[in-house]
Amino acid sequence: MGSAALPEPRALTSWRVLVAVVALVILTVAAATLAVRAQIRSRALQNAVHGVEIVSSLVIDQSLTLTDITHGTNPINAAALNADVIMLKRRGEVVNLSIWSLATSQLVYSDVEPSAIEAPPPDVMARARKGDAFAVTDKEAATDTVIVYHPYDANGDGTMDAVAEVMLPRDRVDGPVAHSMNLVYASGALVLLLALAGILQVRRHQLRQDHAAVHDALTGLGNRLLLRRVAPPTLARATPERPAALLLIDLDNFKPVNDALGHAAGDELLVAAADLIREASGPAGVVVRFGGDEFAVLLGPLSGRGVARDVANEIRKRIRQPLMVAGSELEVGASVGMAWAPTDGAELSDLLSRADKAMYYAKYSGSGVAEYAATPETSPPDPRVTTLSQLGRALAGHELELFYQPVRGADAAVKSVEALPRWHHPQRGLLEAGMFIPAVAHTSVATALTTWVLRQAARQVAEWRADGVQVSVSVNVSARTLYNDALPDVIRTVAAEYGLPLSALELEVAEAILVRESARAIPAMLRLRDAGVGFCVDKFGAEYGAVSVLAEAPIQRVKIDQRFTGTAVEFPLARAIVGGWIRVAHQLGLTVVAQGVETPEASRCLVDLGCDEMQGFGIGRPMPAAELTRWLARPSAHAGPG
């Protein structure tokens, strides 16, 4: 696993942060509402003052003189003023009106009995002398009123002579304020709702993004990021007595199903497999899809290892059951590898590596379920010999020998053989190619070994042809050897040395090389084809079943892997896949060879499917050249298997 930082959930995906944000929004809206309310009230009071100024100009200025202020109100003026005030009261515009002398603080006029009113406080009188009208709220009055003080310059000399104390009904101020505040409250509520809706929408969007970041879009399972997020606390709690387990699951034969039935069917199969794995893992298991057809399950801490073993076996059992996909009943198996924390590692990367090894051991050993073991005594044995010096010695010391496996046509004639190196190891006995070739496939020894095989095979084919046995030979080459610029000259030299046409020597290239390294492999093959060398794709379907390889690579033959040909009789799906590959290959003008043919039933089935040639223990086992010479001489060599 890489060391990149994990994407953490964003702020609004946390309920605590969400509540804090909502509270902040509410407080902000409330503060804004209070501020607007204060502004509206201030403006309403200003409007009240302005209204009193108008009343003063229309009523007081017309009825009151400086003489009235200084020497007492003239009855006629007082009567006119009373008439105007009564009219204003009837209209509900004022509660009462009093006029006070600013020079003496004496009452000049009032529409009520003088004994019922009190003189304005000194600070109010002092403020009025400055000439500015202002309003105050009479909070202690029995009736809610607003008092407006309007200074009055009776003779226009710039000196305030009196102040009009006008009591207004409070609703004259509060009414507009209430109406405006209702609009403000409604607007504030709307803003709050929109803000909350926006926050919740962002939260839902972030939750969807966070979910998508750690989940597989196809199956709904978690992905690698989710496993990396949840694994550390689980592994930290694991102990030898209460271990955690990591299971890696790889579906068997998924790629051929995907290629044969289409990507939609492949997706349907993955979804079905994901559901089965989720059900088998139980609610405590964290199930993730790694991509492709690989899944992982994290369990623990557990009461014992038996719990995880039961889950692994249940997963394999369920996936082995027939599945209905795209209207067809498919039988797809699974291989499960297991690693334990803390025994096999305390870090997720260690467990992934070891569970991966166990999974591949389970797949290729056929056990289906395997556990990683850290000690050499219990680790799955590695059959490969990795000492290059030993193989170099074998080449020099004549410890290598070529075995040949016959390839027979549908007409029962043996047309070619495959050259397979064997090593007479001094300590380990006879070793097949798979036990030492992988150790040198990417080294210079691979080229030396291939040259030796080509030379030995060419010599033997020349002998057989001299005896009237017209066969050709195929030789497996590694990627390193294929890319060697000297290979065309080596093949031409070997063929010329033994008097063989280049058509008698064929190179077999594994399908995996053509898929993984097509940018290098295909140009190298084209160069060899131009030199007259023929090619065969080996183990087609073992990993990919990539039909594009058949169309793009310069090949003449394709060998279908025994994993499919060997099960074509028993399983309709395998038969359908093999039949599809054969039809495509024939349309491209290719010869199809079935590997792994062991029974007469398999032979007949493959012939019915249109297979051109067959290879397998049912045809003939790999054998030394002398033994194959005798085998070819027997009539049974040209009959069907069995």
Side-chain angles (χ1 to χ4, degrees):
M1 303 294 292
S3 60
L6 292 177
E8 294 297 333
R10 268 73 59 84
L12 292 185
T13 58
S14 166
W15 275 109
R16 292 181 179 178
V17 176
L18 178 63
V19 170
V21 171
V22 170
L24 179 61
V25 170
I26 293 175
L27 290 175
T28 302
V29 173
T33 301
L34 291 176
V36 172
R37 186 179 187 278
Q39 291 181 356
I40 292 175
R41 182 168 180 79
S42 175
R43 184 169 297 177
L45 290 174
Q46 291 175 0
N47 290 337
V49 170
H50 182 64
V52 168
E53 290 176 343
I54 295 175
V55 169
S56 176
S57 64
L58 294 177
V59 176
I60 300 175
D61 290 358
Q62 300 297 324
S63 304
L64 196 66
T65 66
L66 180 61
T67 302
D68 294 327
I69 297 172
T70 57
H71 295 87
T73 308
N74 182 287
I76 297 175
N77 292 341
L81 193 57
N82 281 333
D84 290 335
V85 171
I86 291 171
M87 181 189 66
L88 292 173
K89 281 186 173 183
R90 288 175 179 174
R91 291 165 56 180
E93 295 185 13
V94 299
V95 175
N96 69 275
L97 171 66
S98 301
I99 300 175
W100 301 85
S101 171
L102 289 175
T104 64
S105 298
Q106 297 297 312
L107 180 64
V108 175
Y109 168 83
S110 178
D111 65 320
V112 296
E113 289 296 327
S115 61
I117 59 174
E118 296 179 358
D123 60 326
V124 171
M125 300 296 281
R127 185 176 177 185
R129 291 186 182 97
K130 296 179 180 179
D132 294 327
F134 56 93
V136 296
T137 302
D138 186 2
K139 298 181 180 179
E140 297 181 357
T143 58
D144 278 345
T145 59
V146 175
I147 304 174
V148 177
Y149 293 93
H150 177 64
Y152 175 59
D153 179 8
N155 58 359
D157 62 357
T159 300
M160 299 297 108
D161 300 305
V163 59
E165 183 183 49
V166 183
M167 289 188 179
L168 303 176
R170 194 180 189 93
D171 58 5
R172 299 289 292 180
V173 174
D174 289 350
V177 172
H179 177 71
S180 299
M181 286 308 301
N182 287 336
L183 295 177
V184 171
Y185 291 144
S187 301
L190 179 61
V191 170
L192 181 59
L193 289 175
L194 291 175
L196 292 177
I199 291 171
L200 292 176
Q201 180 66 21
V202 170
R203 182 176 186 273
R204 284 193 293 267
H205 180 66
Q206 288 186 354
L207 285 174
R208 286 194 296 268
Q209 285 188 327
D210 288 339
H211 185 276
V214 295
H215 285 80
D216 175 57
L218 176 64
T219 63
L221 297 179
N223 58 18
R224 289 175 180 264
L225 291 179
L226 179 64
L227 183 63
R228 291 172 61 192
R229 183 176 291 174
V230 303
T234 300
L235 300 182
R237 298 195 308 270
T239 65
E241 296 74 24
R242 292 183 58 78
L246 181 66
L247 282 59
L248 281 187
I249 303 107
D250 184 75
L251 301 184
D252 297 334
N253 305 327
F254 168 74
K255 182 65 176 179
V257 172
N258 195 57
D259 287 342
L261 301 182
H263 293 296
D267 290 347
E268 189 177 343
L269 174 58
L270 288 173
V271 172
D275 291 340
L276 294 175
I277 295 172
R278 184 191 294 113
E279 293 169 3
S281 301
V286 178
V287 185
V288 303
R289 179 188 175 205
F290 266 28
D293 59 345
E294 285 193 350
F295 301 85
V297 180
L298 180 65
L299 299 166
L302 306 169
S303 58
R305 295 194 174 194
V307 177
R309 290 169 180 152
D310 290 342
V311 170
N313 288 319
E314 181 65 20
I315 289 173
R316 187 164 184 264
K317 175 183 175 182
R318 294 194 182 205
I319 294 180
R320 290 179 68 185
Q321 299 299 316
L323 301 174
M324 288 300 298
V325 174
S328 301
E329 188 175 83
L330 306 182
E331 295 183 3
V332 180
S335 301
V336 184
M338 303 170 60
W340 303 95
T343 307
D344 296 332
E347 299 294 332
L348 178 61
S349 57
D350 296 331
L351 293 179
L352 284 172
S353 174
R354 288 161 186 173
D356 185 67
K357 291 179 181 178
M359 184 265 289
Y360 277 102
Y361 180 80
K363 180 181 290 289
Y364 293 112
S365 68
S367 62
V369 177
E371 300 179 34
Y372 178 84
T375 59
E377 290 78 9
T378 58
S379 294
D382 186 353
R384 297 174 300 175
V385 177
T386 59
T387 305
L388 299 181
S389 60
Q390 287 184 310
L391 189 55
R393 184 198 64 206
L395 281 169
H398 307 291
E399 295 176 6
L400 298 181
E401 180 183 7
L402 280 188
F403 278 37
Y404 300 90
Q405 186 172 28
V407 178
R408 187 159 51 200
D411 58 359
V414 176
K415 300 180 178 181
S416 65
V417 297
E418 181 178 355
L420 301 168
R422 296 291 186 264
W423 185 358
H424 294 279
H425 195 278
Q427 286 80 40
R428 302 184 63 185
L430 186 65
L431 302 181
E432 295 183 358
M435 301 177 74
F436 59 91
I437 294 295
V440 300
H442 300 287
T443 71
S444 60
V445 176
T447 301
L449 180 60
T450 301
T451 301
W452 179 86
V453 172
L454 283 169
R455 190 173 297 279
Q456 296 298 316
R459 180 185 59 78
Q460 186 58 56
V461 168
E463 290 182 9
W464 280 327
R465 291 196 171 202
D467 293 338
V469 180
Q470 298 299 313
V471 294
S472 60
V473 64
S474 60
V475 174
N476 291 277
V477 293
S478 66
R480 182 184 178 95
T481 302
L482 180 64
Y483 305 149
N484 193 323
D485 292 336
L487 184 59
D489 291 336
V490 170
I491 295 175
R492 281 193 292 263
T493 299
V494 169
E497 181 178 349
Y498 293 103
L500 294 175
L502 288 176
S503 59
L505 301 175
E506 181 184 61
L507 300 183
E508 290 195 16
V509 180
E511 178 201 19
I513 295 175
L514 296 178
V515 173
R516 296 172 183 167
E517 305 178 35
S518 60
R520 293 189 65 189
I522 292 180
M525 293 173 69
L526 289 171
R527 186 174 66 253
L528 287 160
R529 185 199 63 181
D530 294 342
V533 179
F535 282 97
C536 172
V537 175
D538 190 26
K539 295 182 176 63
F540 184 80
E543 294 188 58
Y544 299 94
V547 176
S548 60
V549 167
L550 305 182
E552 296 174 4
I555 59 176
Q556 289 74 47
R557 295 201 302 168
V558 55
K559 288 188 175 182
I560 299 178
D561 188 72
Q562 62 184 6
R563 187 181 305 179
F564 295 94
T565 58
T567 57
V569 175
E570 184 178 358
F571 298 109
L573 174 61
R575 188 161 56 251
I577 292 173
V578 172
W581 284 339
I582 291 174
R583 287 191 295 274
V584 171
H586 284 168
Q587 290 175 355
L588 296 172
L590 305 178
T591 299
V592 180
V593 182
Q595 295 178 309
V597 179
E598 298 185 359
T599 65
E601 293 79 12
S603 177
R604 287 192 292 271
C605 174
L606 291 165
V607 169
D608 291 342
L609 290 174
C611 192
D612 303 300
E613 300 175 358
M614 285 168 282
Q615 178 181 359
F617 283 8
I619 305 298
R621 295 175 177 271
M623 60 193 85
E627 184 178 343
L628 180 61
T629 301
R630 293 191 296 272
W631 184 87
L632 289 170
R634 296 200 305 264
S636 60
H638 305 283

